[in-house]
Amino acid sequence: MTVISNKIDEIFFLPPAEKNLFLSRFERIEVQKGAIVVSAEKIERYVYFIEEGIARAFRDTEKGQRTIWFGEAGSIMLSFLSFFKNQAGYESIEVLEDSVLYRISSHNLQDLYSQHINIANWGRKFVEQELLLTEQRFMDLQFKTATERYQDLMKHSSTILQRVQLGYIASYLGITQVSLSRIRAATK
């Protein structure tokens, strides 16, 4: 649970007693490669933290699946619609390797928020970070070329390029696999 503990500190430092209380509410689960942890069109009742492994969020479209997010050790997985609105989400989240996850029920997390201001502040800081990442992703898709987006992925998430199949990476970048192959050849 070291990765999860470090991620909590990275987002917002919690006093030891509250951090221990927070961590005590987690349940460890092991999931096999290919497992769908969060299903689109269903209300998800848990927030997941990746201790080991890698995952992707995707949405089914008329043209196939569109990858919208990658997460690796330390990443937090959830359906925001389920968590904040108690509604079915639009994305599915699949693990791409055998993975170790820690999960906490949305109900338990909301209880912690209501009873412990520091944990509530941790949640606020997490959401702020996710909002900024979402805005950056939107801006990148709008204003950067596919080559620039690929270079950013190489710079900030190089392990994803080594561990995830090219079709998912191309989908995430908003390009075809053929275009991705051309970009990769040009950047070597």
Side-chain angles (χ1 to χ4, degrees):
M1 193 179 250
T2 303
V3 172
I4 305 308
S5 180
N6 291 341
K7 182 63 175 186
I8 289 169
D9 290 340
E10 179 186 311
I11 292 171
F12 183 82
F13 180 78
L14 292 174
E18 286 177 301
K19 184 176 178 184
N20 290 335
L21 175 64
F22 190 20
L23 291 171
S24 75
R25 300 288 177 95
F26 284 85
E27 172 190 9
R28 183 182 193 272
I29 61 170
E30 294 181 17
V31 291
Q32 294 184 336
K33 177 182 179 177
I36 302 296
V37 178
V38 174
S39 297
E41 308 302 325
K42 293 184 180 174
I43 297 174
E44 178 55 47
R45 304 285 182 206
Y46 291 93
V47 175
Y48 298 87
F49 290 65
I50 303 174
E51 179 74 17
E52 297 173 17
I54 195 162
R56 76 176 181 118
F58 65 92
R59 184 170 180 173
D60 289 314
T61 70
E62 294 171 358
K63 296 179 181 179
Q65 293 179 347
R66 177 74 188 263
T67 299
I68 55 176
W69 171 86
F70 290 112
E72 47 197 330
S75 295
I76 301 170
M77 308 184 309
L78 74 150
S79 166
F80 282 101
L81 274 176
S82 291
F83 186 76
F84 292 112
K85 296 279 198 176
N86 201 34
Q87 295 177 4
Y90 56 84
E91 76 276 66
S92 294
I93 301 176
E94 168 189 27
V95 295
L96 302 177
E97 300 174 346
D98 290 347
S99 299
V100 175
L101 309 176
Y102 283 86
R103 70 183 185 181
I104 183 170
S105 73
S106 298
H107 176 76
N108 278 339
L109 188 53
Q110 293 290 359
D111 280 349
L112 288 171
Y113 287 169
S114 69
Q115 296 173 24
H116 301 275
I117 190 66
N118 288 316
I119 297 174
N121 281 329
W122 179 90
R124 179 182 53 82
K125 292 303 286 184
F126 166 68
V127 171
E128 287 173 6
Q129 289 178 11
E130 289 301 306
L131 178 60
L132 291 171
L133 289 171
T134 300
E135 179 184 59
Q136 185 63 55
R137 172 103 169 106
F138 174 77
M139 297 302 280
D140 289 352
L141 286 171
Q142 294 298 310
F143 300 108
K144 287 188 175 181
T145 67
T147 300
E148 290 170 327
R149 293 192 304 272
Y150 177 75
Q151 290 169 338
D152 285 348
L153 192 60
M154 281 183 9
K155 181 178 176 184
H156 301 292
S157 302
S158 61
T159 58
I160 287 173
L161 297 174
Q162 299 162 1
R163 296 164 64 190
V164 174
Q165 60 182 274
L166 293 180
Y168 295 155
I169 293 168
S171 171
Y172 176 76
L173 296 171
I175 58 177
T176 65
Q177 199 165 333
V178 171
S179 295
L180 177 58
S181 295
R182 287 188 191 122
I183 291 169
R184 287 170 46 111
T187 57
K188 288 185 177 181

